Amino acid sequence: ARVDLLSLEYSTDRVARSVVGEVLPEVVEPGEVNRLQYSLRAALGPGDTGFDGLRIRAPIELDQERLEQVSLNVNGITVPSTVQLESDSFSVLFPGDPVRFTSRTDTTTIDLTFDARVFLHGTRFSGEVFDSVSDDVAQDVLPGDASPVSDTNDLQVAWDLNGELITAVEVEPATLTPNGDGVNEVMRISYSLLQLLVPSQVKLEIFDLAGRAVFTDSELRSTGRYSITWDGRTGDQLVPPGSYLY
């Protein structure tokens, strides 16, 4: 093997003396929307730059419909914050209430609450804190005791493995009426795929009560949340009124 390029970043200034974190709860519902708390305990000293941003990287799906419910507490006080979504992470900025060293205290606690779906057992929520107005290198969050209500001291979540690969199936609406009135014209079937490290063929079929397939969707999919729509047709024809199974 040959290394063609090696790049290093370093900073002479330290964001904080130490930053430890843990995630609650330790056990989550796979593929479902979970209320998660990311707790930090930061120790700062004279000369530390401090920070006003937290970036979290994890293979999760942040519930975009609930971004307004993201809550950030600094030393027990709720502070205004904004959320920035990125391809493999999300950042929470709180420039109005930056964490800085003062003569009164050198320890700051931060609790970030948000809703997300987790698809991989043992998902690690890697974090880093940074100063949004500085070019200094961000500082990693290390696993540790950051919350008095938990003894996990870890940044991982898990669940009891039972072999399930598909969870959180939702069908909306339950009754399909494709008659052109604009109400219940299309059915959406949503589901979560778990534990897929490589793309796999996933097939969804809808059957009539005689066992005949009237709709099939087959795609290569990886871990994540998916939705499929059906307009009540098989080919170009509407299916007869009745009950159908998937």
Side-chain angles (χ1 to χ4, degrees):
R2 184 182 68 181
V3 177
D4 294 323
L5 177 65
L6 178 63
S7 176
L8 299 176
E9 284 187 287
Y10 73 94
S11 174
T12 56
D13 294 321
R14 185 176 60 181
V15 174
R17 190 165 66 236
S18 66
V19 185
V20 298
E22 57 187 321
V23 179
L24 308 172
E26 182 182 14
V27 178
V28 299
E29 292 294 331
E32 303 277 3
V33 175
N34 293 269
R35 174 61 55 90
L36 302 174
Q37 178 175 305
Y38 198 95
S39 296
L40 299 180
R41 184 179 296 275
L44 291 90
D48 293 340
T49 63
F51 56 93
D52 63 1
L54 166 64
R55 180 176 295 111
I56 298 177
R57 287 189 173 88
I60 62 173
E61 180 184 281
L62 197 64
D63 191 339
Q64 298 189 32
E65 296 180 356
R66 304 188 185 187
L67 284 183
E68 293 182 355
Q69 298 182 23
V70 172
S71 174
L72 183 73
N73 290 344
V74 177
N75 290 330
I77 300 174
T78 301
V79 301
S81 61
T82 58
V83 180
Q84 295 180 350
L85 296 179
E86 299 156 21
S87 59
D88 62 344
S89 64
F90 69 96
S91 298
V92 181
L93 302 177
F94 42 102
D97 295 271
V99 175
R100 306 286 190 228
F101 173 78
T102 69
S103 59
R104 297 187 304 274
T105 178
D106 65 349
T107 302
T108 298
T109 58
I110 296 176
D111 295 313
L112 173 67
T113 304
F114 58 97
D115 295 331
R117 297 181 190 268
V118 184
F119 307 105
L120 290 173
H121 183 271
T123 289
R124 175 174 292 276
F125 289 76
S126 300
E128 60 183 21
V129 293
F130 59 92
D131 188 342
S132 64
V133 297
S134 170
D135 294 329
D136 291 334
V137 177
Q139 183 164 331
D140 289 342
V141 177
L142 301 178
D145 184 11
S147 172
V149 300
S150 171
D151 58 359
T152 63
N153 298 349
D154 205 349
L155 296 171
Q156 285 185 314
V157 298
W159 58 83
D160 293 330
L161 292 174
N162 56 13
E164 282 188 322
L165 298 180
I166 299 178
T167 63
V169 178
E170 299 175 355
V171 179
E172 187 178 353
T175 301
L176 184 65
T177 57
N179 55 14
D181 66 354
V183 179
N184 296 342
E185 297 287 337
V186 175
M187 174 179 290
R188 181 180 300 274
I189 303 174
S190 304
Y191 60 91
S192 296
L193 285 180
L194 313 177
Q195 301 295 94
L196 296 183
L197 300 180
V198 296
S200 300
Q201 198 74 29
V202 179
K203 179 186 288 187
L204 171 69
E205 292 184 292
I206 298 177
F207 300 90
D208 61 19
L209 295 184
R212 294 184 292 265
V214 298
F215 174 80
T216 299
D217 177 88
S218 182
E219 295 284 347
L220 278 174
R221 303 192 189 279
S222 56
T223 290
R225 183 73 176 170
Y226 296 94
S227 292
I228 296 170
T229 57
W230 181 48
D231 60 3
R233 287 174 167 79
T234 179
D236 295 329
Q237 301 296 318
L238 282 173
V239 299
S243 298
Y244 293 84
L245 309 174
Y246 64 89

